[in-house]
Amino acid sequence: MRSPAEVNTAFGRSSDLLDQVDYRLAQTPEEKEEIYNLRYRAYLREGAVKESPAQRVTDQYDDLPNSWTFGVYLFGELYSSVRISVLTSEWRESCSAEAFGEILYPRLDRGEVIIDPARFVADPDKIKRFPELPYLTLRLAYMACEYFNADLGLAIVRAEHQAFYRRVFLHETIAKPRMFPGLLKPVGLMAADFPAMKEKVFERYPTMRSTAFERRMLFERGGRAARPARVAAAYERASIAPNS
């Protein structure tokens, strides 16, 4: 991963790239399958999964009501993907919660809202064209943190990737790497206090900012009554707030 100075230089064209980026919520079987295939190719290239005749990676969290799986498309082609899970006292299921429940459940019991981005993958044959791709993809996590009024933003990552999250997104390691079902390499848990850190990240990377309209278009769903109270309140604020 590039140094901050190098990334800032490359990321100067990010505004132009944002005009080309299409964040799509995977809803159809075809869209989901394309992402599951991408996960497999990316994980296989990194040696994180074994070869499989099915050539797909999915799990029990993909279709939960507190999960949003996005494909990131550039010029009409799928380049990367990330799944955003929203954890609350009522919505407690995600891969990070499964692996690090002893750390996260007490925070949920206190009423905190936690955003858990997982299954972040990029097309191994395309990522070299756009070093900004990790930022454009993880921008979805920042939009989710704002939309759902999050207290904590997570990152479940392998040890070799933690320096990037610490340097760029100001995450801190809160749990050492451990094995996770389906993966061949251990992952650790990192986190950032979103209200305290967001402006520092936005100042360094203005492209991480978003408008209320953009956030609503990505995360709004029907059935508001099913939302936990705090998330519902955040939803109402996002729905009426002016673009920021």
Side-chain angles (χ1 to χ4, degrees), residues 179-195:
M179 296 304 299
F180 185 78
L183 296 179
L184 299 179
K185 296 182 178 180
V187 292
L189 187 66
M190 305 185 75
D193 181 328
F194 182 73

Side-chain angles (χ1 to χ4, degrees), residues 32 35 37 42 60 66 69 82 87 98 111-112 117 128 131-132 142-143 158 172 206 208 214:
K32 293 178 181 180
I35 287 173
N37 294 156
Q60 68 268 36
N66 65 319
T69 298
V82 67
L87 297 174
E98 177 184 342
E112 294 189 18
K128 294 179 181 179
E132 305 91 344
Y142 270 76
M143 286 192 277
R158 298 199 301 273
E172 296 181 354
M208 301 300 287
E214 184 180 14

Side-chain angles (χ1 to χ4, degrees), residues 73-121:
Y73 293 77
L74 281 167
F75 313 108
E77 296 182 10
L78 179 64
Y79 269 68
S80 61
S81 176
V82 67
R83 182 179 66 213
I84 305 294
S85 295
V86 182
L87 297 174
T88 70
S89 59
E90 295 179 29
W91 290 344
R92 305 169 72 91
E93 293 184 80
S94 77
C95 57
S96 293
E98 177 184 342
F100 301 97
E102 79 281 7
I103 296 172
L104 298 179
Y105 290 150
R107 304 189 70 138
L108 297 177
D109 291 338
R110 294 196 295 268
E112 294 189 18
V113 176
I114 301 174
I115 299 300
D116 180 16
R119 298 300 190 190
F120 167 38
V121 292

